[in-house]
Amino acid sequence: MSKEKEVVVLDEVTVRFAGDSGDGMQLTGSQFTDTTAAVGNDLSTLPDFPAEIRAPAGSLSGVSGFQLHFSSSDIQTPGDSPDVLVAMNPAALKVNLKDMKSNGTILVNSSAFDTKNLKLAKYDSNPLEDGSLQGYQLISVPITQLTMGALEGLDISLKEKERCKNFFALGLMYWLYNRPIEGSSKWIETKFAKKPLIVEANKKALKAGYYYGEHTELFTTRYDVHKAKLPKGHYRNVSGNEAVALGFVSASLRSGLPLFLGSYPITPASEILQELSKYKNFGVKTFQAEDEIAGICSAIGASFAGNLAITTTSGPGLSLKTEAMGLAVITELPLVIVNVQRGGPSTGLPTKTEQSDLLMALYGRHGEAPLPVLAASSPADCFWMSLEAARIAIKYMTPVILLTNGYIALGSEPLRIPSIDDLPEIPVNFRKDPEGFQPYMRDENLARPWAIPGTPGLEHRIGGLEKKHIYGNISYEPENHALMTKIRDEKIKNVQKDIPLLEVEGEKTGDLLVLSWGSTYGPVKEAMRRLKKKGYKLSLAHLKYLNPFPANTADVLKSFKRILVPELNLGQLARVIRSEFLIDVIQYNKVQGQPIKTSEVEGKILELLGGENGK
């Protein structure tokens, strides 16, 4: 009979599941995440997987990982370094060991450390035996062997039995961190409902892993992370892409407009198309186009017909959409273009993250074609910024670019489900009265009327050729083109009156301001929190509106002696700040396909402040 294990309460834990692409690490991480969210912890995740559909089994290039940071308090990032690494094979260990915390726990599937897999991972000797893992808490568990034993007698193939090993690992981690297994059991029943033997096998493996933790002498301790003290409300764990989809469905409901998505699948944006296709009962129409150009052009047509129209893509697709974006600018139709940024250029790093499309979003169109550019800061914020992008597009009759990136699109965190009263109003004023109508007349915001084709007396033409001011006839007059260009530019500048002022967290004036945008907010926020506990007086401003900037941006920037701008590019926002405000900034740039770590931001701030003694 096993001894009762000691339970240690922790404030936070960072776990990374890693294995071959075929080992189901994304599924394992997602299940652990969903269960952790149901328990009530705050959390943030970082999936990390190769771009190849199936990299060579056991190879270093084929390693897939999923990192989860969960806590009993509010957190902003998926964690810098894992406290626990679950490595399903030698390649997973080798790729991820460099990120581990000293004295961290490494749980390995020792069944996979055979001669073949060690050679594929380029190990000269077995790291489980040669002492190279001293300094870590190594726990060797023959996961594959134990899984096969638990499934002995089941009438499924050896390959199918072996594929259940990820659920054994999941069950063991559920036991170690005092998580219930019932949620994953129900998920297995639903997922494999048409394959009862697979249901039985995966559930057996899950339970075997859980009870192995209970009865083995390898573990003397298990851990608990209490429920987080978050604001009251109902929460749902969402990825950034799921939040974008929910945001646009909500915008459709608040505006009363049917939602249309015209899109071409591209990593890491494809899940938005997949997610929105589930909402047909809300009147959502999704069109999987044959290419990126067809995707945006179909959305422009849907907007002309009176829909809330969106198109989604990543960097290479945004390049292809640029001419049609100019068409949306000159026709002055509401449209939202969601760009989930990834590593570039060209095909670049399809499954890795970057912030290197900012300059393209701001300037990447021929002619004078200004449009608003917004950026979401976290997976949950994708919900709110999708709503905001739709509101601005409709109010100002303009295309809007919403920037996210691979990190926040595929990562997840809890979203507090708002009540209907928490959602912004999105009024729509279709022109219906033919009296005095002209297609390019203007309201107080310089927006032209939205007249739906087929409305009696409102026949008009739009298109890519320049239009006569007010009347909409094709015009090549020099003075008219200059006037229309200036009006379209002024209309976008007017958006500045309709967005919040830039807020400063911390000291309102001082020596150093950290200026973040997009997904850099999380690690910057965490770094500021750590340094504040050490007695530093610091300031943070975060930009969600990148064109136009908030009206007080210049005043905020001029209130500080130095400005640090961390970015996942070579300094694109820094360049814009210098150009727009004639203010120099200090750059901190990272282009490795990975998000900025809290420790990296903290280190740079300390360097600028003179180290630990520079308070």
Side-chain angles (χ1 to χ4, degrees):
M1 187 174 179
S2 62
K3 297 179 182 178
E4 188 170 340
K5 318 287 185 176
E6 177 189 4
V7 177
V8 175
V9 176
L10 301 174
D11 291 329
E12 59 181 337
V13 178
T14 300
V15 174
R16 182 180 296 176
F17 297 92
D20 189 71
S21 294
D23 285 340
M25 292 297 94
Q26 302 304 315
L27 169 60
T28 305
S30 296
Q31 283 297 302
F32 196 89
T33 298
D34 290 345
T35 298
T36 296
V39 167
N41 297 129
D42 194 19
L43 60 87
S44 180
T45 69
L46 177 62
D48 188 14
F49 47 90
E52 291 80 7
I53 294 174
R54 187 68 173 92
S59 67
L60 297 174
S61 61
V63 172
S64 176
F66 189 104
Q67 185 162 305
L68 166 68
H69 181 199
F70 58 104
S71 175
S72 57
S73 58
D74 179 41
I75 56 175
Q76 304 290 333
T77 75
D80 283 3
S81 303
D83 300 293
V84 181
L85 170 65
V86 180
M88 297 298 284
N89 64 9
L93 175 63
K94 190 162 196 174
V95 167
N96 292 283
L97 187 60
K98 65 183 184 302
D99 297 329
M100 285 295 296
K101 291 179 180 175
S102 59
N103 202 39
T105 299
I106 300 175
L107 174 62
V108 298
N109 174 20
S110 57
S111 300
F113 281 69
D114 56 21
T115 302
K116 177 185 176 183
N117 282 325
L118 288 169
K119 184 177 180 180
L120 285 168
K122 304 186 185 308
Y123 274 115
D124 296 325
S125 60
N126 190 336
L128 307 186
E129 301 170 354
D130 63 11
S132 61
L133 296 179
Q134 289 183 358
Y136 302 99
Q137 299 180 45
L138 176 64
I139 302 172
S140 294
V141 178
I143 292 175
T144 304
Q145 179 185 335
L146 291 169
T147 301
M148 301 297 276
L151 303 184
E152 189 175 353
L154 265 184
D155 189 20
I156 59 175
S157 68
L158 291 176
K159 185 177 181 180
E160 287 173 321
K161 288 179 181 178
E162 185 181 352
R163 290 178 65 182
C164 297
K165 65 182 181 290
N166 64 320
F167 279 104
F168 186 100
L170 178 62
L172 180 54
M173 291 299 290
Y174 278 160
W175 176 85
L176 188 60
Y177 286 98
N178 200 20
R179 318 272 99 174
I181 66 173
E182 288 76 17
S184 288
S185 291
K186 291 178 181 178
W187 182 89
I188 291 168
E189 292 170 1
T190 303
K191 177 68 174 178
F192 303 105
K194 296 181 180 180
K195 299 178 179 180
L197 284 176
I198 300 299
V199 169
E200 184 180 356
N202 283 320
K203 289 179 68 174
K204 275 192 171 184
L206 181 69
K207 291 178 181 178
Y210 189 90
Y211 290 112
Y212 178 80
E214 183 68 34
H215 296 295
T216 184
E217 298 301 323
L218 287 174
F219 300 99
T220 59
T221 305
R222 64 191 307 201
Y223 304 95
D224 198 6
V225 178
H226 291 164
K227 184 177 180 179
K229 297 176 182 178
L230 300 174
K232 289 184 178 180
H234 295 286
Y235 288 83
R236 171 179 171 178
N237 187 54
V238 294
S239 69
N241 281 342
E242 289 172 334
V244 166
L246 289 170
F248 283 119
V249 173
S250 300
S252 172
L253 295 173
R254 290 298 276 167
S255 64
L257 298 174
L259 178 62
F260 177 91
L261 167 65
S263 190
Y264 180 74
I266 183 171
T267 303
S270 300
E271 288 81 6
I272 303 173
L273 172 61
Q274 296 164 6
E275 191 68 20
L276 279 174
S277 67
K278 301 174 184 177
Y279 290 93
K280 294 183 179 67
N281 57 321
F282 285 91
V284 177
K285 299 180 184 69
T286 53
F287 170 55
Q288 181 173 320
E290 66 269 26
D291 57 38
E292 295 283 1
I293 298 171
I296 187 171
C297 287
S298 67
I300 292 172
S303 177
F304 184 45
N307 291 260
L308 171 56
I310 63 174
T311 187
T312 56
T313 192
S314 190
L318 191 67
S319 300
L320 293 167
K321 292 180 188 292
T322 53
E323 182 183 357
M325 280 193 277
L327 176 62
V329 168
I330 200 169
T331 56
E332 300 189 54
L333 286 168
L335 173 72
V336 180
I337 303 105
V338 181
N339 177 25
V340 185
Q341 299 167 96
R342 72 190 206 189
S346 187
T347 310
L349 304 173
T351 62
K352 309 301 180 183
T353 196
E354 217 160 270
Q355 289 181 302
S356 52
D357 295 346
L358 175 59
L359 293 181
M360 181 164 65
L362 292 171
Y363 311 120
R365 292 164 295 283
H366 70 278
E368 296 290 340
L371 49 75
V373 178
L374 283 59
S377 60
S378 71
D381 190 50
C382 288
F383 173 83
W384 295 103
M385 295 310 288
S386 297
L387 275 161
E388 178 71 343
R391 182 189 71 84
I392 291 173
I394 291 169
K395 182 171 182 178
Y396 291 89
M397 292 292 288
T398 179
V400 174
I401 292 179
L402 172 61
L403 297 174
T404 73
N405 61 36
Y407 159 41
I408 59 177
L410 301 179
S412 63
E413 67 177 351
L415 168 67
R416 183 174 178 271
I417 301 172
S419 70
I420 193 68
D421 294 333
D422 293 332
L423 300 180
E425 292 185 6
I426 305 181
V428 176
N429 298 307
F430 288 130
R431 177 75 183 210
K432 296 180 180 178
D433 184 5
E435 184 67 31
F437 168 75
Q438 296 294 343
Y440 282 88
M441 57 198 302
R442 307 282 172 176
D443 65 12
E444 66 278 8
N445 301 310
L446 297 181
R448 75 172 188 85
W450 197 358
I452 305 304
T455 306
L458 300 186
E459 295 82 2
H460 64 286
R461 75 174 89 181
I462 60 172
L465 294 173
E466 185 64 278
K467 298 296 181 287
K468 179 71 174 176
H469 176 49
I470 299 177
Y471 302 103
N473 299 318
I474 295 172
S475 173
Y476 295 100
E477 298 171 11
E479 293 79 9
N480 179 76
H481 176 59
L483 176 62
M484 292 294 278
T485 300
K486 290 176 181 177
I487 288 175
R488 289 189 291 262
D489 183 62
E490 189 64 30
K491 180 174 70 169
I492 304 308
K493 290 177 180 176
N494 283 345
V495 175
Q496 189 179 73
K497 305 172 186 176
D498 204 26
I499 60 177
L501 295 176
L502 181 61
E503 295 185 3
V504 177
E505 300 180 34
E507 305 297 312
K508 305 307 177 187
T509 62
D511 177 41
L512 181 65
L513 172 72
V514 184
L515 183 67
S516 61
W517 75 274
S519 65
T520 57
Y521 176 76
V524 170
K525 178 79 171 179
E526 287 282 353
M528 304 291 273
R529 183 181 298 171
R530 289 182 189 178
L531 291 170
K532 187 177 180 180
K533 287 181 179 178
K534 296 178 181 179
Y536 289 90
K537 293 182 178 180
L538 299 166
S539 306
L540 162 64
H542 180 75
L543 287 167
K544 291 187 179 184
Y545 301 87
L546 298 160
N547 188 45
F549 286 116
N552 66 329
T553 302
D555 293 335
V556 168
L557 299 180
K558 290 175 182 177
S559 298
F560 295 87
K561 295 178 182 177
R562 295 182 292 176
I563 300 165
L564 172 65
V565 181
E567 297 185 78
L568 295 175
N569 56 47
L570 292 180
Q572 295 190 15
L573 178 62
R575 177 178 299 201
V576 175
I577 294 295
R578 292 185 182 109
S579 173
E580 291 288 323
F581 302 106
L582 302 180
I583 295 173
D584 197 14
V585 299
I586 301 164
Q587 297 179 205
Y588 182 78
N589 304 115
K590 182 176 180 179
V591 280
Q592 300 175 5
Q594 297 293 327
I596 289 176
K597 294 181 178 181
T598 300
S599 57
E600 293 169 339
V601 177
E602 185 177 1
K604 184 63 179 179
I605 293 172
L606 286 173
E607 175 192 323
L608 293 173
L609 294 179
E612 293 285 353
N613 298 320
K615 298 178 187 178

